[in-house]
Amino acid sequence: MEGHSLSENNKKPSSLGQHWDHAKAQHSHRKIVPASPCPELLVTNSVPSDVQIKEIQCFIGSAEAKISVIDDQIAQMQRTLDRLGSRRVELQDLVQSHRSVVSTIRRLPTDILGEIFSQYLSASRSPVHSPEALSRVVGVCKRWRTIVLASPLLWCHFSLAIPVETCRGSTKLQQISLQLQRSAPAALSIDLANDRPLNSSGIRVADLLLTESRRWQNVHLNIHPSCYEHFTAPGIEFPMLEKLTLLFYGPLPEHTTLFLGSLPALTDFTLRLGWHELVRIPSTLDFIWAQLRTCTLAECCTADILHVLPLFSAGTRVCLRYFSRMEDAQLASVHTVVSDLSLHCHDQGAIHTLLDALTAPYLKRFSIAGTFSISNLVAFLDRSSCVLTHLNIDHRNNPNYDTDLLTLLGTPYACDIVDLGIGLRFNPMPQKLADALATRDIIPNLCTLAFQSLRGRQRATEDGLLKICAGRRPVLQSLWLSRSLPQDMAHIEVGRWVGSRDIH
């Protein structure tokens, strides 16, 4: 009871205080806004008397004087607000500047900052690691500038189109020269594009880059055939060049063979021939294929591919993309010792020609995408007597894809597969395929399974994936889904089906 009474007593002063404040506000308002001397005239059209006119004029003068006082008070308050606002901004800037002092980025070690710069520059829309992209980093602060200037790996990438207007004059040459100095002694990555013979400025740029030819390591060339003469000049050597991409839209010049012959360290070679019917891979390049560990041939004809395949060494990874068939070519069966082969082609006849002529007994990793016959593929594997460990298959325009695929996966050549990728061409998961993969009757040692371009009703697809994971535990370690899946499919919780294994 006492507590209750105390509570009530506490409320009374508060209530009285509120009434008192309200009364003071009303009194203050009446004091500031005086009553009209003739309120009845404000609501009628009556004519005021002379006395009333004098009273009204006195009232107006008094009110205007008070308005002037109020204006002065407002101006004074505004100056106070401006002063407080200015102080607030100053304090805010002071807080922000001190926050930057204790920020994480300021305390990062130099090597971590260098790696961050490298990742940023690689993702930049401007030419990779170009001076233009680097200038954004070096202009931030003295420490960042010091780190960038002392990091040769940030300056070792060159991407140039020659000859173009930007290569004219001494400014561009000075930039290239300065970048070459800052990149030393790191290996260089060079990307050159030029569709015409070099003019004088282009020759100066090429000669300047070739002064550091001994540091060239990763090179991409889409240049006019006449430019290769500069790469075979006396004194030009490429002892470190390991990865090379060449693009041609006409017959290969003689200097190409001389250039490739000067690359003792070359192990990764990509050759694109631009669909030109007269562009063939010359036999003068036969010496180069045996030294490669990775090779990509694009837009070539099947006759040239079948000539080259037997020349690769054991263990070489070969990727064949967008090749074509020569109608009048007489193709003989060929034997290759490559262990990793990828075929990507829309020409059904070209794929069939290649599969029918090829034998690859050492093949372990095989990828095929395009329009082809599963029976031709099975015949190729049967003839090769190979046992695959990795298979990626993307079969187009086949209404019986699931049945044919299960036929392939049931062969002895697929029993040791540990990594399987299946392209479904934006179709839903076939129920027959999901049921078969949910058991270990086929490919029992499967560790990684990927579905590409998978779409369909969420519930049915999710149930199929969960069924596969449940049936293959604990061997299945990873399940990869294509990015084209709906967002609500990306977080399927299948990890509970395989214990602590990683499921992606």
Side-chain angles (χ1 to χ4, degrees), residues 391-407:
L391 174 64
N392 190 69
I393 184 167
D394 186 358
H395 196 191
R396 302 171 185 177
N397 304 324
N398 183 359
N400 301 316
Y401 185 25
D402 54 346
T403 302
D404 291 346
L405 179 59
L406 291 175
T407 300

Side-chain angles (χ1 to χ4, degrees), residues 111 136 193 242 247 315 324 484 493:
D111 56 338
R136 300 172 188 162
E242 299 176 353
L247 281 72
S324 59
S484 61
E493 296 182 1

Side-chain angles (χ1 to χ4, degrees), residues 5 181 242 330 429 458 462:
S5 299
Q181 294 174 27
E242 299 176 353
Q330 300 296 322
M429 168 84 72
Q458 181 211 348
E462 182 178 344

Side-chain angles (χ1 to χ4, degrees), residues 80-377:
T80 301
L81 286 174
D82 292 343
R83 188 164 56 252
L84 291 174
S86 178
R87 288 184 59 191
R88 185 184 187 282
V89 170
E90 291 176 359
L91 288 171
Q92 211 169 19
D93 292 343
L94 192 62
V95 168
Q96 189 61 34
S97 62
H98 281 74
R99 271 203 185 125
S100 65
V101 172
V102 296
S103 66
T104 302
I105 190 70
R106 187 159 180 164
R107 292 178 284 124
L108 286 177
T110 298
D111 56 338
I112 300 298
L113 268 178
E115 181 61 27
I116 292 175
F117 296 157
S118 180
Q119 294 296 325
Y120 158 72
L121 293 168
S122 296
S124 175
R125 290 185 178 273
S126 55
V128 179
H129 291 200
S130 69
E132 291 80 4
L134 285 165
S135 64
R136 300 172 188 162
V137 179
V138 299
V140 172
C141 66
K142 182 179 180 180
R143 184 188 178 214
W144 285 25
R145 177 180 175 83
T146 302
I147 292 174
V148 171
L149 295 182
S151 303
L153 292 178
L154 299 181
W155 299 90
C156 64
H157 299 267
F158 292 80
S159 181
L160 299 170
I162 54 173
V164 293
E165 288 74 8
T166 56
C167 288
R168 294 174 184 170
S170 59
T171 302
K172 190 64 178 180
L173 289 173
Q174 290 175 356
Q175 290 179 351
I176 296 173
S177 178
L178 183 60
Q179 187 174 347
L180 286 171
Q181 294 174 27
R182 291 174 175 172
S183 66
L188 300 180
S189 174
I190 308 290
D191 187 341
L192 298 180
N194 170 47
D195 59 357
R196 68 191 77 171
L198 293 178
N199 57 19
S200 58
S201 62
I203 291 175
R204 289 195 297 272
V205 171
D207 289 344
L208 180 57
L209 291 172
L210 287 170
T211 59
E212 297 292 340
S213 63
R214 297 186 64 84
R215 291 200 285 134
W216 288 25
Q217 185 177 59
N218 184 355
V219 179
H220 186 285
L221 300 178
N222 181 12
I223 57 178
H224 192 271
S226 63
C227 299
Y228 285 92
E229 182 178 353
H230 297 271
F231 292 80
T232 58
I236 303 298
E237 299 178 348
F238 304 92
M240 292 179 59
L241 205 158
E242 299 176 353
K243 186 175 182 179
L244 175 64
T245 298
L246 299 182
L247 281 72
F248 291 97
Y249 301 96
L252 274 66
E254 178 183 353
H255 289 285
T256 305
T257 302
L258 298 177
F259 171 54
L260 291 173
S262 65
L263 309 178
L266 183 64
T267 57
D268 189 333
F269 181 41
T270 297
L271 179 63
R272 289 182 55 188
L273 297 184
W275 294 113
H276 197 291
E277 60 181 6
L278 298 179
V279 180
R280 302 289 301 276
I281 301 176
S283 58
T284 53
L285 296 184
D286 286 355
F287 68 90
I288 198 69
W289 310 113
Q291 76 181 67
L292 302 177
R293 304 307 301 164
T294 301
C295 181
T296 299
L297 300 177
E299 302 159 9
C300 305
C301 68
T302 51
D304 287 346
I305 292 172
L306 291 173
H307 170 76
V308 168
L309 279 173
L311 304 179
F312 290 109
S313 301
T316 304
R317 180 180 184 274
V318 179
C319 179
L320 307 174
R321 300 177 61 84
Y322 308 116
F323 47 92
S324 59
R325 177 182 54 169
M326 298 184 65
E327 298 293 342
D328 56 348
Q330 300 296 322
L331 304 178
S333 298
V334 300
H335 178 95
T336 183
V337 295
V338 300
S339 60
D340 190 329
L341 180 61
S342 175
L343 309 179
H344 190 150
C345 183
H346 302 299
D347 187 339
Q348 181 175 358
I351 290 185
H352 285 175
T353 297
L354 206 58
L355 292 176
D356 291 343
L358 188 61
T359 302
Y362 300 99
L363 191 61
K364 295 294 183 183
R365 298 169 176 260
F366 184 60
S367 177
I368 184 168
T371 305
F372 56 91
S373 168
I374 293 288
S375 60
N376 280 63
L377 178 55

